[in-house]
Amino acid sequence: MCLAVPMRVIEAKADGRGRVELDGALYDVDLSLIEDVHPGEHVIVHAGFAIEKLDEAEADARLALFDELARTYERESGQRVRLAAPAREETS
Amino acid sequence: MIYLNGFRDPLAAAALRARIADSASRLSAERGPVRLMEVCGSHTMAIARSGIKAMLPSNVELISGPGCPVCVTAPGYVDTAVEMARRGAAIVTFGDMVRVPGTSTTLAKERARGATVHVCYSPAEAIAHAQNEPDREHVFLAIGFETTAPAVTAVMHQAATHGIPNLSFLTAFKLVPPALQALMNDPDVALDAFLCPAHVSAIIGADAYRPFAAQGTPCVVAGFEPLDILDGVEAILRQMLDGRSFVENRYSRVVKDGGNARAQELMARYLRPIDASWRGLGTIPESGLGLRPEFSTIDAEVRFGLPQREGKPNPKCLCGDVLKGKIRPAQCPLFGTVCTPIQPMGPCMVSSEGSCAAEYRYAKGAA
Ligand code: SF4
Protein backbone atom coordinates (compact mmCIF):
# COMPACT_ATOMS: atom_id res chain seq x y z
CA MET A 1 0.00 0.00 0.00
CA CYS A 2 2.96 2.29 0.40
CA LEU A 3 3.93 1.96 -3.21
CA ALA A 4 4.61 5.33 -4.75
CA VAL A 5 5.91 6.25 -8.17
CA PRO A 6 8.25 8.98 -9.42
CA MET A 7 6.45 11.34 -11.80
CA ARG A 8 7.54 14.54 -13.54
CA VAL A 9 5.84 17.78 -12.59
CA ILE A 10 4.24 19.59 -15.54
CA GLU A 11 2.35 22.26 -13.65
CA ALA A 12 2.31 23.42 -10.02
CA LYS A 13 -0.58 25.73 -9.15
CA ALA A 14 -0.73 28.19 -6.28
CA ASP A 15 -3.62 26.32 -4.62
CA GLY A 16 -1.47 23.19 -4.17
CA ARG A 17 -2.93 21.28 -7.10
CA GLY A 18 -0.72 20.16 -9.93
CA ARG A 19 -0.30 18.00 -12.99
CA VAL A 20 2.32 15.32 -13.37
CA GLU A 21 3.41 13.06 -16.18
CA LEU A 22 4.33 9.40 -16.25
CA ASP A 23 5.09 7.53 -19.46
CA GLY A 24 3.31 10.16 -21.51
CA ALA A 25 0.11 10.13 -19.43
CA LEU A 26 -0.93 13.16 -17.39
CA TYR A 27 -2.40 12.97 -13.90
CA ASP A 28 -3.85 15.52 -11.50
CA VAL A 29 -2.17 15.35 -8.11
CA ASP A 30 -2.16 17.23 -4.85
CA LEU A 31 1.20 18.91 -4.25
CA SER A 32 0.32 20.55 -0.93
CA LEU A 33 2.40 18.17 1.21
CA ILE A 34 5.68 19.32 -0.31
CA GLU A 35 7.32 22.70 -0.42
CA ASP A 36 8.62 24.65 -3.34
CA VAL A 37 7.95 22.34 -6.22
CA HIS A 38 8.59 23.41 -9.79
CA PRO A 39 7.79 22.09 -13.26
CA GLY A 40 10.47 19.71 -14.50
CA GLU A 41 11.18 18.30 -11.05
CA HIS A 42 10.24 14.75 -10.10
CA VAL A 43 7.97 13.91 -7.19
CA ILE A 44 7.00 10.64 -5.53
CA VAL A 45 3.23 10.19 -5.84
CA HIS A 46 1.18 8.07 -3.44
CA ALA A 47 -2.63 7.90 -3.37
CA GLY A 48 -2.95 11.05 -5.47
CA PHE A 49 -0.58 13.10 -3.30
CA ALA A 50 3.05 14.00 -3.89
CA ILE A 51 4.75 12.94 -0.65
CA GLU A 52 8.33 13.96 -1.39
CA LYS A 53 10.57 15.25 -4.15
CA LEU A 54 13.02 13.03 -5.96
CA ASP A 55 16.46 14.56 -5.62
CA GLU A 56 18.07 14.13 -9.02
CA ALA A 57 21.61 14.75 -7.82
CA GLU A 58 21.24 11.97 -5.22
CA ALA A 59 19.68 9.65 -7.81
CA ASP A 60 22.53 10.31 -10.23
CA ALA A 61 25.12 9.73 -7.53
CA ARG A 62 23.59 6.37 -6.63
CA LEU A 63 23.35 5.37 -10.30
CA ALA A 64 26.99 6.33 -10.78
CA LEU A 65 27.92 4.09 -7.85
CA PHE A 66 25.99 1.17 -9.32
CA ASP A 67 27.61 1.83 -12.67
CA GLU A 68 31.03 1.81 -11.10
CA LEU A 69 30.23 -1.46 -9.33
CA ALA A 70 29.09 -2.98 -12.60
CA ARG A 71 32.26 -1.89 -14.41
CA THR A 72 34.53 -3.23 -11.72
CA TYR A 73 32.65 -6.49 -11.74
CA GLU A 74 32.87 -6.63 -15.53
CA ARG A 75 36.64 -6.19 -15.35
CA GLU A 76 37.24 -8.60 -12.51
CA SER A 77 34.88 -11.36 -13.55
CA GLY A 78 35.76 -11.14 -17.23
CA GLN A 79 32.07 -10.85 -17.97
CA ARG A 80 31.74 -8.65 -21.01
CA VAL A 81 28.15 -8.75 -22.06
CA ARG A 82 26.76 -5.44 -20.96
CA LEU A 83 23.00 -5.59 -21.27
CA ALA A 84 21.50 -2.71 -23.12
CA ALA A 85 19.62 -0.84 -20.37
CA PRO A 86 21.04 2.68 -20.25
CA ALA A 87 21.82 3.95 -16.77
CA ARG A 88 19.25 6.67 -17.14
CA GLU A 89 16.56 7.14 -19.70
CA GLU A 90 15.40 10.62 -20.43
CA THR A 91 11.72 11.26 -20.83
CA SER A 92 11.53 14.09 -23.27
CA MET B 1 10.54 5.73 -17.49
CA ILE B 2 13.01 8.05 -15.90
CA TYR B 3 14.87 6.86 -12.83
CA LEU B 4 13.63 3.31 -12.90
CA ASN B 5 15.58 1.37 -15.52
CA GLY B 6 18.92 2.43 -14.13
CA PHE B 7 18.00 0.72 -10.87
CA ARG B 8 17.44 -2.56 -12.69
CA ASP B 9 20.81 -2.95 -14.45
CA PRO B 10 21.53 -6.72 -14.48
CA LEU B 11 25.29 -6.35 -14.38
CA ALA B 12 25.19 -4.14 -11.29
CA ALA B 13 22.85 -6.70 -9.76
CA ALA B 14 25.38 -9.44 -10.47
CA ALA B 15 28.09 -7.31 -8.88
CA LEU B 16 25.99 -6.79 -5.75
CA ARG B 17 25.18 -10.49 -5.55
CA ALA B 18 28.87 -11.30 -5.67
CA ARG B 19 29.54 -8.89 -2.81
CA ILE B 20 26.66 -10.28 -0.79
CA ALA B 21 27.91 -13.83 -1.30
CA ASP B 22 31.38 -12.78 -0.22
CA SER B 23 30.18 -11.05 2.95
CA ALA B 24 27.83 -13.91 3.78
CA SER B 25 30.56 -16.52 3.45
CA ARG B 26 32.77 -14.55 5.79
CA LEU B 27 29.95 -14.16 8.29
CA SER B 28 28.87 -17.77 8.26
CA ALA B 29 32.07 -18.96 9.85
CA GLU B 30 31.15 -17.11 13.03
CA ARG B 31 27.40 -17.47 13.27
CA GLY B 32 24.12 -19.05 12.13
CA PRO B 33 21.84 -17.69 9.43
CA VAL B 34 21.39 -13.94 9.22
CA ARG B 35 17.75 -12.94 9.71
CA LEU B 36 16.88 -9.68 8.00
CA MET B 37 13.37 -8.30 8.23
CA GLU B 38 12.02 -6.34 5.31
CA VAL B 39 9.53 -4.27 7.23
CA CYS B 40 7.47 -2.97 4.35
CA GLY B 41 4.86 -4.81 2.28
CA SER B 42 5.97 -3.06 -0.89
CA HIS B 43 9.43 -4.52 -0.31
CA THR B 44 7.85 -7.94 0.20
CA MET B 45 6.14 -7.63 -3.18
CA ALA B 46 9.24 -6.33 -4.93
CA ILE B 47 11.35 -9.12 -3.45
CA ALA B 48 8.86 -11.77 -4.54
CA ARG B 49 8.45 -10.28 -8.01
CA SER B 50 12.14 -9.99 -8.79
CA GLY B 51 13.04 -13.34 -7.26
CA ILE B 52 15.52 -11.80 -4.83
CA LYS B 53 15.27 -14.56 -2.24
CA ALA B 54 16.70 -17.01 -4.77
CA MET B 55 19.62 -14.65 -5.40
CA LEU B 56 20.73 -14.63 -1.78
CA PRO B 57 23.11 -17.12 -0.17
CA SER B 58 21.44 -19.81 1.90
CA ASN B 59 22.55 -18.27 5.19
CA VAL B 60 20.81 -14.95 4.50
CA GLU B 61 17.08 -15.06 5.21
CA LEU B 62 14.69 -12.28 4.31
CA ILE B 63 11.69 -12.26 6.60
CA SER B 64 8.55 -10.29 5.81
CA GLY B 65 7.54 -7.95 8.59
CA PRO B 66 4.27 -6.33 9.66
CA GLY B 67 4.52 -3.64 7.02
CA CYS B 68 1.26 -4.16 5.21
CA PRO B 69 -1.32 -1.80 6.73
CA VAL B 70 -4.23 -3.93 5.60
CA CYS B 71 -2.73 -7.09 7.08
CA VAL B 72 -2.32 -5.56 10.52
CA THR B 73 -5.77 -4.00 10.68
CA ALA B 74 -7.64 -5.63 13.55
CA PRO B 75 -10.88 -7.53 12.85
CA GLY B 76 -12.77 -5.24 15.25
CA TYR B 77 -12.02 -2.30 12.97
CA VAL B 78 -13.76 -4.08 10.10
CA ASP B 79 -16.68 -4.94 12.43
CA THR B 80 -17.06 -1.27 13.34
CA ALA B 81 -17.03 -0.18 9.69
CA VAL B 82 -19.61 -2.86 8.89
CA GLU B 83 -21.86 -1.58 11.68
CA MET B 84 -21.64 1.96 10.28
CA ALA B 85 -22.54 0.64 6.83
CA ARG B 86 -25.52 -1.21 8.32
CA ARG B 87 -26.67 2.04 9.85
CA GLY B 88 -26.80 3.50 6.35
CA ALA B 89 -23.42 5.19 5.97
CA ALA B 90 -21.61 5.00 2.65
CA ILE B 91 -18.12 3.61 3.23
CA VAL B 92 -15.24 5.05 1.20
CA THR B 93 -12.09 2.94 1.31
CA PHE B 94 -8.89 1.81 -0.36
CA GLY B 95 -9.68 -1.34 -2.32
CA ASP B 96 -7.71 -3.84 -0.27
CA MET B 97 -9.87 -3.31 2.81
CA VAL B 98 -13.01 -4.57 1.12
CA ARG B 99 -12.17 -8.25 1.49
CA VAL B 100 -10.42 -8.13 4.87
CA PRO B 101 -12.27 -10.46 7.23
CA GLY B 102 -13.85 -9.00 10.33
CA THR B 103 -15.15 -11.31 13.03
CA SER B 104 -17.86 -12.77 10.83
CA THR B 105 -18.19 -10.74 7.63
CA THR B 106 -16.36 -8.48 5.18
CA LEU B 107 -17.30 -5.21 3.51
CA ALA B 108 -17.51 -7.08 0.20
CA LYS B 109 -20.16 -9.41 1.62
CA GLU B 110 -22.03 -6.45 3.11
CA ARG B 111 -21.94 -4.72 -0.27
CA ALA B 112 -23.48 -7.80 -1.88
CA ARG B 113 -26.27 -7.44 0.70
CA GLY B 114 -26.88 -3.83 -0.25
CA ALA B 115 -24.37 -1.74 1.70
CA THR B 116 -22.73 1.14 -0.15
CA VAL B 117 -18.96 0.79 -0.38
CA HIS B 118 -16.98 3.09 -2.67
CA VAL B 119 -13.45 2.03 -3.51
CA CYS B 120 -11.03 4.88 -4.10
CA TYR B 121 -7.43 5.37 -5.21
CA SER B 122 -7.03 8.76 -3.52
CA PRO B 123 -8.62 9.75 -0.21
CA ALA B 124 -9.59 13.03 -1.88
CA GLU B 125 -12.36 11.08 -3.65
CA ALA B 126 -14.15 10.82 -0.31
CA ILE B 127 -15.01 14.52 -0.54
CA ALA B 128 -16.51 14.12 -4.01
CA HIS B 129 -18.58 11.13 -2.89
CA ALA B 130 -19.86 13.03 0.16
CA GLN B 131 -20.77 16.05 -1.96
CA ASN B 132 -22.57 13.87 -4.50
CA GLU B 133 -24.87 12.50 -1.88
CA PRO B 134 -25.19 15.28 0.70
CA ASP B 135 -28.02 13.64 2.64
CA ARG B 136 -26.03 10.56 3.49
CA GLU B 137 -23.28 10.04 6.04
CA HIS B 138 -19.96 9.03 4.47
CA VAL B 139 -17.19 7.33 6.41
CA PHE B 140 -13.65 7.17 5.09
CA LEU B 141 -11.62 4.20 6.37
CA ALA B 142 -8.50 6.04 7.46
CA ILE B 143 -5.95 3.25 7.59
CA GLY B 144 -2.32 3.18 6.57
CA PHE B 145 1.18 3.80 7.78
CA GLU B 146 3.04 7.09 7.87
CA THR B 147 3.17 7.06 4.05
CA THR B 148 -0.60 7.33 3.72
CA ALA B 149 -1.54 9.24 6.86
CA PRO B 150 -0.44 12.67 5.52
CA ALA B 151 -2.59 12.33 2.38
CA VAL B 152 -5.61 11.37 4.49
CA THR B 153 -4.86 14.19 6.94
CA ALA B 154 -4.81 16.65 4.04
CA VAL B 155 -8.33 15.47 3.21
CA MET B 156 -9.36 15.80 6.88
CA HIS B 157 -8.06 19.34 6.70
CA GLN B 158 -10.14 20.04 3.59
CA ALA B 159 -13.23 18.47 5.18
CA ALA B 160 -12.73 20.48 8.38
CA THR B 161 -12.05 23.80 6.67
CA HIS B 162 -14.55 23.59 3.81
CA GLY B 163 -17.20 22.10 6.04
CA ILE B 164 -18.24 18.80 4.48
CA PRO B 165 -20.84 18.00 7.15
CA ASN B 166 -21.55 14.43 6.05
CA LEU B 167 -17.96 13.11 5.94
CA SER B 168 -16.16 11.56 8.90
CA PHE B 169 -13.13 9.34 9.38
CA LEU B 170 -12.74 5.99 11.10
CA THR B 171 -9.06 6.05 12.02
CA ALA B 172 -6.68 3.13 12.44
CA PHE B 173 -3.39 4.62 11.30
CA LYS B 174 -0.37 2.62 12.38
CA LEU B 175 3.15 3.79 13.15
CA VAL B 176 6.12 1.71 12.07
CA PRO B 177 8.78 2.46 14.73
CA PRO B 178 6.71 1.28 17.75
CA ALA B 179 5.99 -2.00 15.93
CA LEU B 180 9.69 -2.50 15.27
CA GLN B 181 10.38 -1.93 18.96
CA ALA B 182 7.73 -4.50 19.90
CA LEU B 183 9.34 -7.02 17.55
CA MET B 184 12.76 -6.33 19.03
CA ASN B 185 11.36 -6.88 22.51
CA ASP B 186 9.89 -10.27 21.55
CA PRO B 187 12.45 -12.96 22.36
CA ASP B 188 10.86 -15.42 19.91
CA VAL B 189 11.43 -13.19 16.94
CA ALA B 190 15.25 -12.91 16.93
CA LEU B 191 16.09 -10.48 14.14
CA ASP B 192 19.55 -9.34 13.14
CA ALA B 193 18.69 -6.26 11.10
CA PHE B 194 15.97 -4.17 9.52
CA LEU B 195 15.63 -3.32 5.85
CA CYS B 196 13.66 -0.15 6.54
CA PRO B 197 10.72 1.01 4.43
CA ALA B 198 11.20 3.45 1.61
CA HIS B 199 8.14 5.64 1.61
CA VAL B 200 7.27 5.48 5.29
CA SER B 201 10.78 6.85 5.74
CA ALA B 202 10.12 9.63 3.22
CA ILE B 203 7.68 10.99 5.81
CA ILE B 204 9.32 10.13 9.14
CA GLY B 205 12.97 10.40 8.05
CA ALA B 206 15.88 8.01 8.38
CA ASP B 207 16.68 9.36 11.86
CA ALA B 208 13.57 7.60 13.18
CA TYR B 209 15.50 4.30 13.19
CA ARG B 210 18.36 5.55 15.33
CA PRO B 211 16.99 4.00 18.54
CA PHE B 212 17.12 0.54 16.94
CA ALA B 213 20.63 1.01 15.63
CA ALA B 214 21.63 2.14 19.12
CA GLN B 215 20.29 -1.18 20.43
CA GLY B 216 22.64 -3.05 18.11
CA THR B 217 20.40 -3.62 15.09
CA PRO B 218 21.68 -2.40 11.73
CA CYS B 219 19.02 -0.34 9.92
CA VAL B 220 19.26 0.37 6.21
CA VAL B 221 16.67 2.42 4.32
CA ALA B 222 16.31 1.07 0.79
CA GLY B 223 14.20 1.84 -2.28
CA PHE B 224 11.95 -0.61 -4.12
CA GLU B 225 13.93 -1.37 -7.24
CA PRO B 226 15.83 -4.66 -7.42
CA LEU B 227 19.23 -2.94 -7.16
CA ASP B 228 18.02 -0.89 -4.20
CA ILE B 229 17.06 -4.02 -2.32
CA LEU B 230 20.27 -5.91 -3.10
CA ASP B 231 22.23 -2.79 -2.19
CA GLY B 232 20.38 -2.60 1.13
CA VAL B 233 21.13 -6.23 1.94
CA GLU B 234 24.76 -5.69 1.01
CA ALA B 235 24.98 -2.67 3.33
CA ILE B 236 23.46 -4.65 6.21
CA LEU B 237 25.90 -7.54 5.82
CA ARG B 238 28.80 -5.11 5.70
CA GLN B 239 27.71 -3.52 8.98
CA MET B 240 27.44 -6.95 10.53
CA LEU B 241 30.89 -7.95 9.28
CA ASP B 242 32.32 -4.77 10.75
CA GLY B 243 30.51 -5.45 14.01
CA ARG B 244 28.68 -2.15 13.79
CA SER B 245 25.08 -0.97 13.75
CA PHE B 246 23.98 2.37 12.42
CA VAL B 247 21.30 3.94 10.23
CA GLU B 248 22.28 3.98 6.59
CA ASN B 249 20.09 5.82 4.11
CA ARG B 250 20.53 4.18 0.72
CA TYR B 251 17.39 5.83 -0.63
CA SER B 252 18.65 9.36 -0.23
CA ARG B 253 17.16 10.30 -3.59
CA VAL B 254 13.84 10.47 -1.75
CA VAL B 255 14.39 10.08 2.00
CA LYS B 256 15.86 12.88 4.13
CA ASP B 257 17.25 12.35 7.61
CA GLY B 258 14.46 14.42 9.14
CA GLY B 259 11.70 13.35 6.74
CA ASN B 260 8.97 15.57 5.32
CA ALA B 261 8.50 18.39 7.84
CA ARG B 262 5.40 19.81 6.22
CA ALA B 263 3.62 16.45 6.29
CA GLN B 264 4.69 15.90 9.91
CA GLU B 265 3.29 19.29 10.95
CA LEU B 266 -0.04 18.67 9.28
CA MET B 267 -0.35 15.27 10.95
CA ALA B 268 0.57 16.69 14.35
CA ARG B 269 -2.16 19.29 14.02
CA TYR B 270 -4.94 16.77 13.48
CA LEU B 271 -3.67 13.52 14.96
CA ARG B 272 -2.20 12.31 18.22
CA PRO B 273 -0.46 9.05 19.16
CA ILE B 274 -2.77 6.43 20.65
CA ASP B 275 -2.42 2.81 21.70
CA ALA B 276 -3.33 0.65 18.74
CA SER B 277 -4.37 -2.92 18.24
CA TRP B 278 -2.38 -4.79 15.56
CA ARG B 279 -3.59 -8.04 14.11
CA GLY B 280 -1.13 -10.64 15.27
CA LEU B 281 0.95 -8.31 17.43
CA GLY B 282 -1.72 -7.24 19.93
CA THR B 283 -1.97 -3.79 21.44
CA ILE B 284 1.20 -1.73 21.19
CA PRO B 285 1.42 1.51 23.21
CA GLU B 286 1.36 4.72 21.17
CA SER B 287 1.64 2.80 17.92
CA GLY B 288 -1.30 4.41 16.17
CA LEU B 289 -2.69 7.83 15.37
CA GLY B 290 -6.20 9.00 16.20
CA LEU B 291 -7.99 12.31 15.68
CA ARG B 292 -7.37 14.93 18.34
CA PRO B 293 -10.44 15.57 20.51
CA GLU B 294 -10.88 19.06 19.06
CA PHE B 295 -11.69 17.44 15.71
CA SER B 296 -14.32 15.10 17.10
CA THR B 297 -16.86 16.45 14.59
CA ILE B 298 -15.09 14.52 11.82
CA ASP B 299 -14.40 11.47 14.00
CA ALA B 300 -16.71 8.66 12.87
CA GLU B 301 -16.54 6.89 16.26
CA VAL B 302 -17.88 10.01 17.95
CA ARG B 303 -20.42 10.79 15.27
CA PHE B 304 -21.93 7.33 15.35
CA GLY B 305 -21.36 6.80 19.08
CA LEU B 306 -19.56 3.61 18.11
CA PRO B 307 -16.14 3.07 19.63
CA GLN B 308 -13.99 0.53 17.80
CA ARG B 309 -14.86 -3.02 18.70
CA GLU B 310 -12.60 -5.76 19.92
CA GLY B 311 -13.37 -8.36 17.28
CA LYS B 312 -11.98 -11.86 16.92
CA PRO B 313 -9.65 -13.12 14.22
CA ASN B 314 -10.17 -16.52 12.63
CA PRO B 315 -8.34 -18.80 15.08
CA LYS B 316 -7.04 -21.01 12.27
CA CYS B 317 -5.34 -18.11 10.47
CA LEU B 318 -1.69 -17.80 11.48
CA CYS B 319 -1.21 -14.27 10.10
CA GLY B 320 0.07 -13.17 13.49
CA ASP B 321 2.97 -15.60 13.33
CA VAL B 322 3.60 -14.74 9.69
CA LEU B 323 3.69 -11.01 10.51
CA LYS B 324 6.26 -11.59 13.23
CA GLY B 325 8.41 -13.69 10.92
CA LYS B 326 7.91 -16.77 13.15
CA ILE B 327 6.63 -18.91 10.30
CA ARG B 328 6.70 -18.74 6.53
CA PRO B 329 3.25 -18.50 4.90
CA ALA B 330 3.59 -22.00 3.42
CA GLN B 331 3.86 -23.35 6.96
CA CYS B 332 0.26 -22.33 7.66
CA PRO B 333 -1.95 -25.41 7.15
CA LEU B 334 -4.55 -23.36 5.30
CA PHE B 335 -2.05 -21.84 2.86
CA GLY B 336 -2.87 -22.49 -0.79
CA THR B 337 -5.60 -25.00 -0.01
CA VAL B 338 -8.36 -23.48 2.08
CA CYS B 339 -6.84 -20.00 1.90
CA THR B 340 -6.08 -18.48 -1.52
CA PRO B 341 -6.24 -14.95 -2.94
CA ILE B 342 -9.68 -15.80 -4.39
CA GLN B 343 -10.97 -17.05 -1.04
CA PRO B 344 -8.74 -15.44 1.60
CA MET B 345 -9.08 -16.58 5.21
CA GLY B 346 -6.80 -13.92 6.60
CA PRO B 347 -5.66 -10.41 5.69
CA CYS B 348 -2.14 -11.55 4.75
CA MET B 349 -3.76 -13.29 1.77
CA VAL B 350 -6.09 -10.40 0.93
CA SER B 351 -3.71 -7.57 0.34
CA SER B 352 -1.53 -7.90 -2.73
CA GLU B 353 1.33 -6.92 -0.42
CA GLY B 354 0.56 -9.47 2.24
CA SER B 355 3.24 -12.09 2.79
CA CYS B 356 0.84 -14.94 2.07
CA ALA B 357 -0.43 -13.39 -1.17
CA ALA B 358 3.09 -12.55 -2.34
CA GLU B 359 4.29 -16.07 -1.65
CA TYR B 360 1.22 -17.61 -3.29
CA ARG B 361 1.56 -15.54 -6.41
CA TYR B 362 5.26 -15.93 -7.00
CA ALA B 363 6.21 -19.20 -5.39
CA LYS B 364 2.93 -21.11 -5.57
CA GLY B 365 3.46 -22.78 -2.26
CA ALA B 366 7.10 -23.76 -2.57
CA ALA B 367 8.33 -24.00 1.01
S1 SF4 C 1 -2.29 -18.61 4.55
FE1 SF4 C 1 -4.26 -17.59 4.95
S2 SF4 C 1 -4.95 -18.47 6.89
FE2 SF4 C 1 -2.76 -18.94 6.71
S3 SF4 C 1 -1.71 -17.25 7.76
FE3 SF4 C 1 -1.85 -16.68 5.60
S4 SF4 C 1 -3.75 -15.47 5.46
FE4 SF4 C 1 -3.85 -16.59 7.42
Side-chain angles (χ1 to χ4, degrees):
Chain A
M1 225 189 108
C2 296
L3 203 61
V5 185
M7 299 193 188
R8 191 162 61 107
V9 178
I10 302 293
E11 188 184 4
K13 298 182 200 150
D15 66 357
R17 304 289 310 165
R19 305 210 87 192
V20 295
E21 182 256 359
L22 176 69
D23 282 346
L26 293 176
Y27 302 91
D28 286 318
V29 290
D30 190 309
L31 298 170
S32 65
L33 293 172
I34 50 176
E35 277 167 61
D36 237 10
V37 60
H38 303 289
E41 292 182 316
H42 286 78
V43 292
I44 301 290
V45 177
H46 168 73
F49 285 74
I51 58 166
E52 191 46 280
K53 284 197 206 181
L54 187 144
D55 183 324
E56 300 191 16
E58 290 285 339
D60 289 340
R62 178 71 47 198
L63 284 173
L65 276 172
F66 286 149
D67 201 50
E68 178 61 33
L69 259 178
R71 278 170 209 281
T72 313
Y73 180 73
E74 201 170 23
R75 250 193 336 268
E76 288 173 359
S77 68
Q79 182 163 353
R80 284 216 303 263
V81 197
R82 191 75 210 268
L83 291 162
R88 180 178 154 182
E89 272 187 9
E90 292 293 345
T91 44
S92 55
Chain B
M1 188 188 317
I2 197 170
Y3 289 129
L4 286 181
N5 289 336
F7 293 98
R8 295 173 182 170
D9 176 23
L11 199 57
L16 286 166
R17 284 175 65 181
R19 287 193 170 203
I20 289 170
D22 177 60
S23 298
S25 68
R26 286 196 279 151
L27 269 172
S28 65
E30 304 150 32
R31 48 162 299 138
V34 178
R35 286 168 53 88
L36 314 181
M37 177 170 275
E38 96 266 4
V39 173
C40 165
S42 302
H43 273 146
T44 300
M45 270 296 284
I47 287 164
R49 193 171 37 221
S50 45
I52 285 188
K53 280 187 184 165
M55 297 182 198
L56 298 179
S58 58
N59 64 325
V60 177
E61 286 174 27
L62 272 175
I63 295 153
S64 307
C68 152
V70 171
C71 303
V72 299
T73 299
Y77 178 82
V78 176
D79 297 347
T80 311
V82 163
E83 182 56 34
M84 290 172 183
R86 286 181 180 170
R87 293 193 190 176
I91 303 293
V92 187
T93 176
F94 297 119
D96 275 354
M97 281 303 290
V98 170
R99 295 193 305 140
V100 172
T103 301
S104 60
T105 181
T106 65
L107 285 165
K109 287 182 190 156
E110 294 300 308
R111 183 164 57 182
R113 289 182 198 135
T116 301
V117 180
H118 300 297
V119 167
C120 67
Y121 158 70
S122 168
E125 293 165 45
I127 291 192
H129 282 298
Q131 286 175 329
N132 271 343
E133 226 185 331
D135 295 334
R136 183 178 210 173
E137 283 294 327
H138 283 65
V139 176
F140 183 76
L141 301 190
I143 65 144
F145 287 122
E146 292 94 330
T147 319
T148 313
V152 178
T153 313
V155 176
M156 290 171 168
H157 178 65
Q158 289 169 18
T161 46
H162 300 313
I164 312 284
N166 59 328
L167 176 61
S168 59
F169 298 81
L170 181 62
T171 57
F173 294 120
K174 300 284 195 291
L175 301 173
V176 166
L180 297 188
Q181 188 60 58
L183 285 167
M184 284 186 64
N185 295 346
D186 185 336
D188 293 345
V189 175
L191 294 170
D192 293 304
F194 289 122
L195 191 68
C196 299
H199 295 134
V200 163
S201 307
I203 303 297
I204 66 178
D207 284 347
Y209 306 105
R210 280 177 185 243
F212 312 116
Q215 293 166 69
T217 305
C219 293
V220 177
V221 180
F224 289 128
E225 295 305 317
L227 286 190
D228 286 321
I229 295 168
L230 289 170
D231 181 49
V233 171
E234 203 270 332
I236 286 173
L237 295 182
R238 192 156 294 263
Q239 286 195 30
M240 292 180 69
L241 265 182
D242 295 345
R244 299 180 61 194
S245 64
F246 53 97
V247 176
E248 242 175 303
N249 180 4
R250 296 281 176 125
Y251 193 45
S252 54
R253 62 186 187 275
V254 173
V255 173
K256 297 182 201 127
D257 290 347
N260 179 339
R262 189 185 273 208
Q264 291 169 11
E265 276 163 31
L266 182 68
M267 283 155 70
R269 226 164 102 197
Y270 281 85
L271 307 171
R272 64 193 164 113
I274 53 169
D275 297 351
S277 158
W278 296 58
R279 195 181 294 244
L281 306 181
T283 297
I284 305 174
E286 308 227 317
S287 66
L289 293 171
L291 274 160
R292 291 185 177 281
E294 56 269 40
F295 298 106
S296 61
T297 48
I298 55 168
D299 188 332
E301 292 179 56
V302 176
R303 192 173 296 188
F304 287 79
L306 264 180
Q308 275 181 48
R309 302 190 166 173
E310 273 290 322
K312 273 201 207 72
N314 179 340
K316 294 208 186 94
C317 168
L318 302 182
C319 265
D321 289 341
V322 170
L323 292 170
K324 288 188 197 169
K326 287 189 185 174
I327 62 162
R328 297 268 312 269
Q331 289 171 272
C332 167
L334 305 190
F335 179 84
T337 53
V338 178
C339 180
T340 65
I342 310 284
Q343 191 67 271
M345 294 295 126
C348 304
M349 191 61 97
V350 170
S351 164
S352 56
E353 292 178 357
S355 314
C356 298
E359 186 149 323
Y360 185 86
R361 246 175 90 186
Y362 292 102
K364 293 265 161 33

